[in-house]
Amino acid sequence: MAHTFRGCSLAFMFIITWLLIKAKIDACKRGDVTVKPSHVILLGSTVNITCSLKPRQGCFHYSRRNKLILYKFDRRINFHHGHSLNSQVTGLPLGTTLFVCKLACINSDEIQICGAEIFVGVAPEQPQNLSCIQKGEQGTVACTWERGRDTHLYTEYTLQLSGPKNLTWQKQCKDIYCDYLDFGINLTPESPESNFTAKVTAVNSLGSSSSLPSTFTFLDIVRPLPPWDIRIKFQKASVSRCTLYWRDEGLVLLNRLRYRPSNSRLWNMVNVTKAKGRHDLLDLKPFTEYEFQISSKLHLYKGSWSDWSESLRAQTPEEEPTGMLDVWYMKRHIDYSRQQISLFWKNLSVSEARGKILHYQVTLQELTGGKAMTQNITGHTSWTTVIPRTGNWAVAVSAANSKGSSLPTRINIMNLCEAGLLAPRQVSANSEGMDNILVTWQPPRKDPSAVQEYVVEWRELHPGGDTQVPLNWLRSRPYNVSALISENIKSYICYEIRVYALSGDQGGCSSILGNSKHKAPLSGPHINAITEEKGSILISWNSIPVQEQMGCLLHYRIYWKERDSNSQPQLCEIPYRVSQNSHPINSLQPRVTYVLWMTALTAAGESSHGNEREFCLQGEDTAALGQAPDRLAHA
């Protein structure tokens, strides 16, 4: 931006000068303006400006009527009556200042006599940090330097290069902002140790200055072109047999390679000598996209590295998966002879999968007979089957990509909650910031050292016990008694949390409900029926939709009062249980019509009340008022 502005200023200065010269024939017919000691002066100098009229060019040929006025740009700075005017000017700023002399006669406009420009500047400073470079073996020698402060004057730069056998090259630049010149010559490697000397000289009207000489050889200044035609090959599609190829200029001796996974910011660096355009890489990871770049140099100690080549991006081949799947399961009794087994497993990490997982192989085996009962291939991370409730069962699950399969994870199917003495104690679940729940527990009463690991399992609570709800779990070492769960945790959702203690082929469990954030439910339960049973009533209701519960429910409240009564209602508070949807009330008076409704509570507060139902207890004459119409609650 600065160069653009200065270039425009310089162009403007030259345009003004040209226009003045062109106009001088006409503008200076009546007189002249002279400047002493010079039109070009050093900053801080004083100049004398004289404006004089030519013979018979005044006002009516009477000198006392001549009023000469001197302007600096458009500001009047001096005037005098007569044929000439002298003015001494000081404190001119850097750059160009225009002075114009005009004649004022009575009852007429001012007439321009002549003008002059004064250029204020400084002598050039010594050019610093002269350096030369030749890009590529076939390139040309170009040099750069630091000019120092601006001279604000027309300044000429001369670059000179001296070589063996008294050879000399010279190049000039007539731009006051010049700091680069290309000789247009090519140094060859015929005498790589021959010395060349470069020097730059700056000259303007106020002085001159030369840089210190810069001496160098061919090897010092030739910077190779970046390597090109980069490619990579994997022998037998194996990541362990990888070769990087490229092309270089003929004199290159050294190369440095850098490479990294595309999602990383850190480079791996390798320096190689006399590589001749190839190098084997042994530490690449399978199924990973890498970025490769190469740079070149002509000599071990002299010269500079080339720019980095353009990037090559390539993905390494797959390899057989490593690691083992983390497998968990659930059991559900169907009837007296059958049970449903649902298996779940987590994806292998990228470093373990080492390729695209194509499918999972599940093998189910009855251990007593030693015979594989079921083998299944699935692309999902879960699998469900139905097996007999008798026998000892085990499963094995492995992941497969195009190169092979991981080692199978084997687990024995057991009743995870059968051993009561292994059940963790004092399980609690508390909100721990946004979308996190901290689960804590105490070791089981049985010898805590028998515990081999804990498993914390959680899933969204659905009153219907929907088995399709995603299951989450994490494993914890036996000496840990807490776990922070955050995966798939959402605000205002209640989770059923179980903590399992596993020991050999036994397990014990405890459960609790928990949420990361809660508020009062949006609505109360909907009473769908009231029936009379032996002098009491049984109230039945529909569960509050999950999206309206706003966290874990703690209690239900049943309210009732006599119809048209202004007294406070009575209430019965029931601890929340997932499967409960009815409750008896035995404190109503016969042949009195009551209005009943329900609310629900979380730790944050109570919901608004649900629908209202009227009921009259008939005593011995039992009547079901499930047929009575609802009366909606009033605001």
Side-chain angles (χ1 to χ4, degrees), residues 95-304:
T96 304
T97 303
L98 176 63
F99 293 89
V100 177
C101 181
K102 294 184 179 181
L103 172 65
C105 298
I106 297 173
N107 299 325
S108 66
D109 294 336
E110 293 179 353
I111 303 167
Q112 183 167 308
I113 302 301
C114 198
E117 284 184 321
I118 297 176
F119 303 97
V120 181
V122 294
E125 291 184 334
Q126 182 185 44
Q128 301 288 328
N129 299 326
L130 175 63
S131 65
C132 300
I133 190 172
Q134 177 176 306
K135 292 187 176 181
E137 297 174 15
Q138 305 301 319
T140 56
V141 178
C143 301
T144 60
W145 60 90
E146 295 176 7
R147 298 186 317 271
R149 64 177 177 174
D150 289 340
T151 65
H152 295 273
L153 298 174
Y154 173 81
T155 303
E156 184 175 272
Y157 290 86
T158 301
L159 181 64
Q160 182 174 304
L161 179 64
S162 302
K165 303 176 182 179
N166 296 322
L167 292 174
T168 301
W169 297 270
Q170 190 169 289
K171 200 85 170 183
Q172 286 186 331
C173 178
K174 298 181 179 181
D175 180 355
I176 64 172
Y177 306 112
C178 179
D179 55 10
Y180 169 87
L181 276 172
D182 191 327
F183 280 110
I185 63 169
N186 168 258
L187 300 188
T188 62
E190 296 168 356
S191 301
E193 300 297 333
S194 296
N195 287 327
F196 296 83
T197 301
K199 184 176 70 171
V200 63
T201 301
V203 179
N204 66 17
S205 300
L206 299 177
S208 65
S209 184
S210 297
S211 69
L212 296 174
S214 173
T215 301
F216 49 80
T217 67
F218 170 85
L219 292 174
D220 289 325
I221 72 161
V222 175
R223 176 184 291 175
L225 295 176
W228 67 94
D229 193 19
I230 304 171
R231 57 201 185 282
I232 193 168
K233 290 186 178 179
F234 300 96
Q235 302 296 327
K236 296 184 178 180
S238 172
V239 72
S240 62
R241 304 180 66 181
C242 165
T243 304
L244 193 65
Y245 296 90
W246 66 93
R247 295 177 64 190
D248 250 329
E249 292 191 288
L251 296 178
V252 166
L253 179 66
L254 294 174
N255 290 103
R256 56 181 180 178
L257 287 63
R258 67 180 187 182
Y259 56 97
R260 63 182 177 184
S262 295
N263 60 358
S264 172
R265 300 180 63 182
L266 300 177
W267 292 97
N268 299 296
M269 298 287 293
V270 178
N271 291 326
V272 292
T273 306
K274 298 180 180 179
K276 300 299 181 184
R278 61 166 290 163
H279 181 72
D280 295 330
L281 295 172
L282 305 177
D283 60 345
L284 301 184
K285 298 176 182 177
F287 199 59
T288 303
E289 184 182 64
Y290 279 90
E291 179 182 6
F292 303 88
Q293 286 186 314
I294 309 172
S295 178
S296 304
K297 197 166 179 277
L298 299 185
H299 194 272
L300 285 171
Y301 313 111
K302 294 184 177 183
S304 58

Side-chain angles (χ1 to χ4, degrees), residues 487-615:
E487 183 181 359
N488 297 325
I489 295 294
K490 295 178 284 189
S491 299
Y492 308 117
I493 295 295
C494 186
Y495 293 89
E496 182 180 11
I497 302 169
R498 291 179 183 268
V499 181
Y500 298 89
L502 305 181
S503 176
D505 58 354
Q506 290 185 312
C509 74
S510 298
S511 64
I512 194 172
L513 301 181
N515 48 240
S516 67
K517 201 172 182 181
H518 53 242
K519 56 185 178 182
L522 300 181
S523 64
H526 182 90
I527 299 174
N528 58 41
I530 303 176
T531 57
E532 181 174 341
E533 295 182 356
K534 297 181 181 179
S536 64
I537 63 172
L538 182 68
I539 300 177
S540 301
W541 61 85
N542 297 331
S543 299
I544 302 173
V546 172
Q547 66 271 18
E548 296 182 10
Q549 294 180 13
M550 308 311 289
C552 293
L553 300 181
L554 302 180
H555 300 94
Y556 287 129
R557 283 180 180 172
I558 302 175
Y559 291 87
W560 67 89
K561 69 173 185 177
E562 294 182 17
R563 187 177 61 184
D564 301 326
S565 171
N566 294 324
S567 61
Q568 290 295 318
Q570 300 181 62
L571 67 89
C572 171
E573 188 168 272
I574 313 162
Y576 174 78
R577 290 196 296 273
V578 176
S579 59
Q580 182 177 10
N581 62 0
S582 63
H583 187 77
I585 298 290
N586 54 18
S587 57
L588 301 186
Q589 299 297 319
R591 295 180 178 82
V592 177
T593 300
Y594 290 91
V595 179
L596 299 95
W597 68 88
M598 291 183 67
T599 64
L601 292 89
T602 66
E606 186 175 10
S607 72
S608 58
H609 61 276
N611 66 314
E612 293 182 354
R613 294 289 294 258
E614 292 185 358
F615 187 83

Side-chain angles (χ1 to χ4, degrees), residues 26 29 39 86 97 122 315 439:
D26 298 321
K29 274 185 177 182
H39 283 266
N86 292 305
T97 303
V122 294
Q315 181 166 286
V439 183

Side-chain angles (χ1 to χ4, degrees), residues 30-33 50-69 79-86 101-103 113:
R30 292 177 175 270
D32 295 297
V33 172
T50 301
C51 175
S52 57
L53 290 170
K54 292 179 180 180
R56 296 186 298 277
Q57 294 298 322
C59 302
F60 310 107
H61 310 293
Y62 297 107
S63 63
R64 67 178 180 274
R65 295 178 180 270
N66 299 329
K67 182 181 179 181
L68 294 174
I69 307 170
F79 70 91
H80 181 72
H81 291 278
H83 280 89
S84 65
L85 177 151
N86 292 305
C101 181
K102 294 184 179 181
L103 172 65
I113 302 301

